[in-house]
Structure formats: structure tokens, C-alpha cells
Amino acid sequence: LKPQAFIFDAYGTLFDVHSVLRRDGSNISGDLQALSQLWRQKQLEYTWLRALMERYEDFWQITEAALRSVVRQLSIETTDRQLERLMQAYLFPAAFGEVKSALEVLKGSPLAILSNGSPAMLDSAVRNNGLESYFAEIISVDKVKTYKPSPRVLRTWAQDSEPSRSRDSLYFLQLMGRCWSQGVRLPGLLVQPVWSRNGRLGVCS
Amino acid sequence: LKPQAFIFDAYGTLFDVHSVLRRDGSNISGDLQALSQLWRQKQLEYTWLRALMERYEDFWQITEAALRSVVRQLSIETTDRQLERLMQAYLFPAAFGEVKSALEVLKGSPLAILSNGSPAMLDSAVRNNGLESYFAEIISVDKVKTYKPSPRVLRTWAQDSEPSRSRDSLYFLQLMGRCWSQGVRLPGLLVQPVWSRNGRLGVCS
């Protein structure tokens, strides 16, 4: 079984979410590392809770709500202008250092992104890191109005995406980053997530 | 609109989850407060993630998996016997001090519990705190194999529970504790969650 495509998470896999505060938080006083960690954690919590409650709001709205909640929680004094600036910075997260060389190695197979990010956020992050030529598809959960790890995300992608539609034989997909899903079997198609860490690969179970 | 029943969360509302480590953690070396906080947080995370992935395991299994994960994360050295003892202690969480007096005040209305806890865990916690006479119903999400805040939990309860089946006029239900759900409308029935904190009540929106 040979992978016929690689599909990547965006935030935390291609893009370093903590680059936002490192680069654009300098005018804010407080524990910026704690702010960055909690912002990320709360952002993920909100995606899980909203998906589970079936009350979807897009990733931009969730990211801003998480930021406002964490700033309050940590009693960090900020102006609306500062928060607005951090949100704008979220459109320009830095790619991890090894991303480009990894994409160069893998680009013989079709590459895609499947992310919680809203389409505008993903488009901006990819473009501003000069990665747009690598990806055949950039898919946002916004299409299905739920979040990872709902199996609807992977199922919908597998049914709708261009490479899977164009083949009727087995299609094998690898997901980099954290295991957030089991494999999905559809007629003529197996979607099998894998994890990757420090250059090792493994199949998610 | 007058509430015709009160329904309570169990853990964090009636029962103090942190009483477990306070009472039975004395033979473990390490930051027990951090362990207790993270144990609870991870336990909730696992309920959200498993519910969202549609891979239900019951609350007993989730509570143990969370404990093992957090002990590793904090590098706290424990034996299997110590972990087993903490898990057993989870069957006997202490009720918050004001619970009995609150139940005395409210007992003119039907009272119920609706909780993530497995039936055996809930039964043990209620019994060991001498609260069994107050509750007309103790309902576990185990029946629907998902977790709060999935709307399936509230919907199923509203359709199945004895007090709601026995009326065909409007039925008004209040949920104590954190807001984790919107109101649910069913024929002849409105389920409206409220929050309560420091003696104040409010409608969840």
C-alpha cells in the first residue's frame, strides 16, 4: 500500500501558532508565553465544544473569542486595538522551519491541506509563506460546518475532493500531525491517517 | 413560567471532584493540586473528543485514561496500586457543603441528576453522600453513548424521562451548574437550562 497523496493539518503542523505572539505581542505587558499557550488551548476547546453542541462558528470567530476569554482569565490589560492587531497577525503565522524542505521531498505526490481554519485564513497563511505552489487543494472544515475530529470532516473530504473523485481504485491518504481520526473506508477508497514525529511515521489506530 | 423540575449536573455541581485527591492522595509525592486540576481538565477533554469522534467509552474508562495520561505528563511516580486506589476513591467524591441544604429547599419540585458519569459511579456517589432520597431520577449519558454538551443528551432525556412523558402540557426544566446547552423545544415541552452561582439564577442563552 503506497500513499497516493499527503494531506496536512495547517495550524501546529505547517504553521507555528505561537509565532503570532512572539512577533506581534511586544506591545502587550504580561506573560506572553502563557497567553499564547492558553489562547491555543482555548481555541481548540471552543472548536470541540461548538462542534459537539452543533453550534458552528467559523475559526476566525472562535480564535477571537478564545483570545478575549484568555486575556480576561490572565488579567492582561489590552486595548481593542491591540487585540485587533493580534487577530490580524493570525493571518500571517510563520511556517515551521522544516516545512519547505519536507514539501520539496513529498511533492511527487499530490499534497493538500485539510484544516479547521476558515478559507480566508488558510489562503492568507499559505500565500504569505510562499507555499501556494505545493498544494493541489486547500480544504476548510467551513464547508461542513463542524470541526476536527468529527468524522464528518474526513468523510466529506474523501467523498468530495478532486483526487478521490478522479480514481475508482484504492486511494491512500496520509495525514500528518496529530492523530485525530481513524481510517475511513468508502467504496474504492481507503483514507488512512498517519502521525509523523521527528521524521518517523506511524499509522493512527 | 414556573420551573416544574430541577435537574443537576453531578461532578462539579453536587460533588467536588477535587475531594478525591485531597482525601486519598496523601501517599503520592508531587503537586497534587496540579494533578487534580489537570486530571479534571483532561477528563473533560476526553469526553468532548470521544463524543466528537463518535468513539464513546464510558466515564469510568475516560477518568482512568485521563489519570494515567496526566500522571505521565507531570512525571509523577505512581504504582498501579496507587492509581487503582485513586480510581476507587472516585466512587466516593464528597458532596459540596451546601448541597444538602439546597436540596432541602428545592425538594418540593421533582429533582433529577443528568450526568456524564456512568450509572455505577453515580449510584455510588449519591448513596455514599446520603442523597438518594432527594432524586426522582438519576440519568447517565451512558444511555445515549455520547457526552455533554451534545444536544442528543438533553433531547433524549426530555423525550424519555418519566416527568416529561407524564404531562402533555408545557414542562419546564432547569439545569443547575454550568451552561452547556441551549433550550430544547419539543411538542408540549420546553427545556430551558439555567445557571446558578452564589445563589443567583440566570437563563442560559
Side-chain angles (χ1 to χ4, degrees):
Chain A
L1 216 54
K2 193 181 160 300
Q4 297 187 18
F6 291 92
I7 184 161
F8 293 79
D9 272 341
Y11 301 103
T13 299
L14 298 172
F15 306 118
D16 180 1
V17 295
H18 302 297
S19 66
V20 171
L21 264 159
R22 271 203 307 274
R23 209 183 41 204
D24 290 272
S26 58
N27 61 343
I28 295 173
S29 319
D31 185 342
L32 295 192
Q33 207 179 340
L35 174 57
S36 196
Q37 295 290 344
L38 272 178
W39 185 8
R40 174 63 172 165
Q41 187 189 316
K42 188 64 74 178
Q43 179 195 48
L44 287 173
E45 266 187 42
Y46 282 3
T47 62
W48 302 331
L49 285 167
R50 287 212 162 260
L52 196 50
M53 289 191 280
E54 301 169 12
R55 292 172 71 182
Y56 178 82
E57 286 188 349
D58 80 12
F59 201 59
W60 182 257
Q61 293 171 287
I62 276 183
T63 300
E64 182 169 355
L67 175 60
R68 290 183 182 273
S69 157
V70 168
V71 159
R72 269 196 308 275
Q73 186 186 331
L74 294 177
S75 304
I76 293 179
E77 285 199 30
T78 50
T79 61
D80 272 357
R81 209 182 139 85
Q82 284 174 317
L83 297 181
E84 171 65 19
R85 186 172 153 187
L86 282 183
M87 284 302 298
Q88 288 304 315
Y90 221 95
L91 296 172
F92 307 89
F96 287 110
E98 65 274 26
V99 162
K100 256 198 179 154
S101 55
L103 295 176
E104 279 295 326
V105 171
L106 297 171
K107 74 180 180 186
S109 305
L111 307 181
I113 290 174
L114 175 56
S115 164
N116 279 344
S118 69
M121 292 170 82
L122 292 174
D123 187 64
S124 172
V126 168
R127 233 170 254 284
N128 282 290
N129 285 285
L131 302 178
E132 63 270 35
S133 67
Y134 292 103
F135 295 105
E137 283 188 290
I138 299 175
I139 307 144
S140 165
V141 299
D142 194 60
K143 196 175 172 181
V144 284
K145 310 287 185 214
T146 188
Y147 284 103
K148 303 172 181 182
S150 167
R152 281 211 294 133
V153 170
L154 202 50
R155 228 179 269 140
T156 304
W157 177 84
Q159 280 162 336
D160 290 358
S161 84
E162 197 49 54
S164 74
R165 263 206 312 275
S166 63
R167 295 159 197 268
D168 54 1
S169 65
L170 185 81
Y171 185 77
F172 189 73
L173 162 73
Q174 295 198 317
L175 265 171
M176 315 300 282
R178 284 209 293 176
C179 288
W180 53 268
S181 178
Q182 287 179 294
V184 172
R185 255 172 217 288
L186 295 165
L189 177 69
L190 170 68
V191 180
Q192 180 59 65
V194 300
W195 53 263
S196 121
R197 188 171 297 167
N198 303 328
R200 289 170 56 229
L201 284 179
V203 173
C204 296
S205 59
Chain B
L1 220 52
K2 193 179 161 301
Q4 297 187 18
F6 291 93
I7 184 162
F8 293 80
D9 271 341
Y11 302 102
T13 299
L14 298 173
F15 306 118
D16 180 2
V17 295
H18 302 296
S19 66
V20 171
L21 265 159
R22 270 202 309 272
R23 209 183 41 206
D24 290 273
S26 57
N27 60 344
I28 295 173
S29 319
D31 185 343
L32 296 191
Q33 206 179 340
L35 174 56
S36 195
Q37 295 289 345
L38 272 177
W39 185 8
R40 174 64 172 165
Q41 187 188 317
K42 189 64 74 180
Q43 179 195 47
L44 287 172
E45 264 187 45
Y46 282 4
T47 62
W48 302 331
L49 285 167
R50 287 212 162 259
L52 195 50
M53 288 192 281
E54 301 170 12
R55 293 172 71 181
Y56 179 82
E57 286 186 350
D58 80 12
F59 201 60
W60 182 256
Q61 293 172 287
I62 276 183
T63 300
E64 182 168 354
L67 175 60
R68 289 184 182 272
S69 156
V70 168
V71 159
R72 270 196 308 276
Q73 186 186 332
L74 295 177
S75 304
I76 293 179
E77 284 199 31
T78 50
T79 61
D80 272 357
R81 208 182 139 83
Q82 284 174 317
L83 296 181
E84 171 64 21
R85 187 173 152 186
L86 282 183
M87 284 303 297
Q88 290 304 315
Y90 221 93
L91 296 172
F92 306 89
F96 287 109
E98 67 273 26
V99 162
K100 256 198 180 153
S101 55
L103 295 177
E104 280 295 326
V105 171
L106 297 171
K107 74 180 180 187
S109 306
L111 307 182
I113 290 175
L114 175 57
S115 165
N116 279 344
S118 70
M121 292 170 82
L122 292 174
D123 187 63
S124 172
V126 168
R127 234 170 254 284
N128 282 290
N129 284 285
L131 303 179
E132 62 270 35
S133 67
Y134 292 103
F135 295 105
E137 283 188 290
I138 299 176
I139 307 143
S140 165
V141 300
D142 195 60
K143 196 175 172 182
V144 283
K145 309 288 184 214
T146 188
Y147 284 104
K148 302 172 181 182
S150 166
R152 281 212 293 133
V153 171
L154 201 50
R155 229 179 267 139
T156 304
W157 177 84
Q159 280 162 336
D160 290 359
S161 83
E162 197 49 54
S164 75
R165 262 205 314 274
S166 63
R167 295 161 197 265
D168 53 2
S169 64
L170 185 82
Y171 185 76
F172 190 73
L173 163 72
Q174 295 197 317
L175 265 171
M176 314 298 283
R178 283 210 293 178
C179 288
W180 54 268
S181 178
Q182 287 179 292
V184 172
R185 254 171 218 288
L186 295 165
L189 178 68
L190 170 68
V191 180
Q192 180 60 64
V194 300
W195 52 265
S196 120
R197 188 171 295 166
N198 304 329
R200 290 171 55 229
L201 283 179
V203 173
C204 297
S205 59

